[in-house]
Amino acid sequence: MKSNTQLRIISALVLVSILGVCIYLGSGATLGLILTIGMITLDEFYTNFLAKQRFSKSYFFGQLILIVSFIYVNFFGAEDIYKQYIINFAIFLNLLLIIYLFASDIEKTFIEDLVRKFPIAPSIYVSSSFIALSTIFHFDVWRKLTLILFMINFGMDTGAWFFGKNFGNKKLWPEVSPNKTIEGLIGGMLTSGLTAFIVTFLTFNRSNIQLFVTYCIFGLLSQIGDLIQSKIKRQFSIKDSSSLIPGHGGVYDRIDSLLFVAPFFALFTYGFILSVKP
């Protein structure tokens, strides 16, 4: 019987290997992987959060919205202006979720009531977030940008775990996520900022304090995304979004931070790319 830690490590290695192969094969293969992950994420929303049957009417139309919009934007040459609209809309939804996180009492079922009344809402959120993420793969330097984005999330997760485990005394928000600490949050933000800053220097030869601060803020946003998911799961009374990934839970459990920070990073990318061109 493998321990949970062993399962987590093995699962993580498998996932990283799949991602690495797709990145090696090119942007088309990576976009196909992203679409597949989006469909699985949406499947978890409908089947586990909302307890809908697969291929029910709302499930079918929810997946159809994601697939059609993602393929149109990424494979049929949608103009940049449409991509910008989607990025801005995704950011707008995230800002609403931030308000929900801090302004809504945890006992209230606002999100649950909303998505049960409008079951198309999960599809709108997932579609806009994944399309925003996909926009970075249309730049020539998409591999470098992808590495920076993953360093932001990896740095936040790793730093929060290390500093929280070794120095964490003050709980961050025990009602929402009992294991997170303020020390972990600060350590994660600094680690996120530093790792992404180093990668940016090595790949783009760019280094200034504004970049470091920006990456720290992105680390904070990724933590907020994790807190939002934790709060939603508590309100739906579920522990994991699914049991698909051994030792990790569901796909949404693994990408909640990445999905939340992606629209902000996509918006940053447009300005960043312009600033590094000769």
Side-chain angles (χ1 to χ4, degrees):
M1 180 73 69
K2 290 183 173 66
S3 68
N4 188 61
T5 300
Q6 290 175 314
L7 285 174
R8 289 177 65 88
I9 293 173
I10 293 171
S11 298
L13 289 174
V14 171
L15 294 174
V16 170
S17 299
I18 294 172
L19 177 62
V21 169
C22 289
I23 290 176
Y24 173 78
L25 292 175
S27 59
T30 308
L31 285 169
L33 176 64
I34 292 172
L35 176 57
T36 301
I37 293 172
M39 293 172 64
I40 296 173
T41 302
L42 197 54
D43 176 89
E44 292 177 348
F45 268 109
Y46 281 117
T47 60
N48 298 322
F49 285 84
L50 295 178
K52 296 282 186 180
Q53 293 292 323
R54 286 188 177 92
F55 307 112
S56 62
K57 185 177 180 180
S58 57
Y59 181 99
F60 174 79
F61 281 108
Q63 291 283 12
L64 187 64
I65 289 173
L66 169 63
I67 295 169
V68 171
S69 58
F70 190 93
I71 290 177
Y72 170 72
V73 169
N74 290 289
F75 296 101
F76 284 89
E79 296 180 9
D80 277 351
I81 188 64
Y82 296 123
K83 297 175 185 176
Q84 291 282 1
Y85 286 149
I86 294 173
I87 290 171
N88 292 334
F89 180 67
I91 290 175
F92 171 72
L93 293 181
N94 280 351
L95 294 176
L96 292 180
L97 285 173
I98 291 175
I99 295 173
Y100 152 76
L101 175 64
F102 292 105
S104 174
D105 188 66
I106 196 167
E107 281 79 22
K108 293 183 178 179
T109 58
F110 170 75
I111 289 291
E112 182 179 2
D113 295 339
L114 175 67
V115 297
R116 292 194 186 282
K117 187 174 182 180
F118 301 102
I120 209 69
S123 179
I124 294 174
Y125 172 70
V126 171
S127 298
S128 60
S129 297
F130 272 94
I131 291 173
L133 171 62
S134 72
T135 59
I136 71 173
F137 295 92
H138 295 273
F139 294 103
D140 292 337
V141 292
W142 66 271
R143 288 185 174 90
K144 296 178 181 179
L145 296 172
T146 303
L147 182 58
I148 293 172
L149 177 58
F150 276 98
M151 284 299 102
I152 290 170
N153 283 270
F154 175 78
M156 186 68 219
D157 290 342
T158 304
W161 171 82
F162 176 82
F163 285 96
K165 182 178 180 180
N166 293 282
F167 308 104
N169 292 311
K170 298 180 180 179
K171 294 294 184 181
L172 178 63
W173 199 343
E175 295 82 8
V176 174
S177 187
N179 295 324
K180 289 182 174 57
T181 63
I182 294 176
E183 294 85 356
L185 172 64
I186 296 173
M189 288 174 60
L190 294 175
T191 306
S192 180
L194 182 60
T195 53
F197 179 82
I198 291 173
V199 171
T200 303
F201 175 73
L202 294 175
T203 55
F204 288 100
N205 195 28
R206 289 286 306 278
S207 60
N208 56 60
I209 189 63
Q210 291 88 352
L211 276 176
F212 173 73
V213 172
T214 299
Y215 292 146
C216 288
I217 294 173
F218 284 156
L220 173 62
L221 289 171
S222 72
Q223 185 75 97
I224 289 175
D226 185 80
L227 288 171
I228 289 171
Q229 196 228 31
S230 295
K231 186 172 183 178
I232 292 174
K233 288 195 297 186
R234 285 184 177 274
Q235 293 188 334
F236 276 89
S237 301
I238 61 175
K239 182 178 182 295
D240 297 315
S241 61
S242 76
S243 57
L244 181 64
I245 308 174
H248 289 267
V251 169
Y252 183 44
D253 293 318
R254 291 302 89 212
I255 67 165
D256 53 354
S257 300
L258 177 66
L259 197 61
F260 188 82
V261 78
F264 299 100
F265 184 78
L267 184 64
F268 158 81
T269 295
Y270 278 89
F272 178 77
I273 290 298
L274 290 174
S275 70
V276 299
K277 284 184 177 179

